[in-house]
Amino acid sequence: MKDYTVSDAVLVNNYITGDENALSVLIERHKQRIYSFIYSKVFDRDVSEDIFQDTFIKVIRTLKNGKYNEEGKFLPWVMRIAHNLVIDHFRKGNRMPKFEDNGEFSIFSVISDGNLNAERRIIKDQVEEDLRNLIQELPDDQREVLIMRMYRDMSFKEISDKTGVSINTALGRMRYALINLRKVIEKNNIVLTN
């Protein structure tokens, strides 16, 4: 029976303050779930082991550098690191969809490919989920216009009619929505594409 009486938050704090054993407890507590997650994406034991080790190297560096913000979400944070390393693995093998940045921010071009293999589908699904979460952080008026334009394929005239604002206002809201998405992506070092 595993001892869960000490919370992850306490263990993280103990590790940061010098208790090396606290990290061992955290790894032992969560290793099966994290490893299983990685393996479910790459289907290769050796690669899974490498990514698992790289995940905890990153965890250790972040904790040692004092860059971890404790919000009681240690496991989701570690899973995010593992997920990003899985994406990096696929990118290294050139198995990611290519994205040309022509100055215009158009993440939506990445999620339009209908012929994806299993690896790309996993990444595409995660990109879509990440993007939906980012969109939820936009101000209501910007989010509304962006969803109508990108997900409902409405023209700016239709958006103007539906929302009761001018076409220029709808265009402005769309522009600011894209600018704000880009800022959030850059600020949080979120990787959506190559």
Side-chain angles (χ1 to χ4, degrees), residues 16 55 93 108 151 172:
I16 290 171
T55 298
F108 301 97
Y151 291 100

Side-chain angles (χ1 to χ4, degrees), residues 34-129:
I34 296 164
Y35 180 85
S36 296
F37 167 78
I38 295 167
Y39 185 79
S40 74
K41 306 298 180 204
V42 299
F43 303 108
D44 181 304
R45 291 197 186 283
D46 292 335
V47 172
S48 296
E49 285 289 334
D50 289 346
I51 293 174
F52 181 83
Q53 289 175 7
D54 289 346
T55 298
F56 276 95
I57 289 169
K58 243 183 165 162
V59 166
I60 291 166
R61 281 189 190 138
T62 304
L63 294 176
K64 291 282 189 189
N65 291 334
K67 294 184 178 177
Y68 176 68
N69 297 331
E70 175 52 52
E71 296 171 359
K73 298 181 177 173
F74 177 76
L75 182 59
W77 173 66
V78 176
M79 295 293 266
R80 174 50 115 196
I81 291 171
H83 171 262
N84 287 341
L85 290 171
V86 166
I87 289 178
D88 289 347
H89 162 73
F90 288 133
R91 281 204 184 114
K92 284 178 193 163
N94 269 337
R95 292 176 282 193
M96 281 285 291
K98 295 288 183 228
F99 172 61
E100 301 264 331
D101 188 0
N102 59 6
E104 291 292 315
F105 182 69
S106 182
I107 184 62
F108 301 97
S109 64
V110 173
I111 58 178
S112 62
D113 185 1
N115 280 333
L116 298 178
N117 64 23
E119 292 164 354
R120 288 184 178 181
R121 195 171 309 116
I122 290 167
I123 294 165
K124 175 183 173 285
D125 291 346
Q126 188 61 51
V127 166
E128 288 174 346
E129 181 182 331

Side-chain angles (χ1 to χ4, degrees), residues 2-45:
K2 290 182 177 130
D3 180 17
Y4 285 93
T5 55
V6 180
S7 72
D8 287 353
V10 170
L11 288 168
V12 167
N13 193 49
N14 290 351
Y15 177 71
I16 290 171
T17 57
D19 178 6
E20 296 291 325
N21 187 48
L23 184 67
S24 300
V25 175
L26 282 166
I27 293 172
E28 186 62 33
R29 182 177 288 178
H30 299 298
K31 72 178 181 184
Q32 187 57 49
R33 186 157 176 204
I34 296 164
Y35 180 85
S36 296
F37 167 78
I38 295 167
Y39 185 79
S40 74
K41 306 298 180 204
V42 299
F43 303 108
D44 181 304
R45 291 197 186 283

Side-chain angles (χ1 to χ4, degrees), residues 134-151:
L134 293 174
I135 289 169
Q136 291 308 309
E137 294 182 27
L138 291 172
D140 292 343
D141 57 347
Q142 294 173 21
R143 182 175 60 241
E144 178 184 39
V145 170
L146 187 139
I147 288 170
M148 287 180 184
R149 180 76 180 133
M150 302 313 296
Y151 291 100

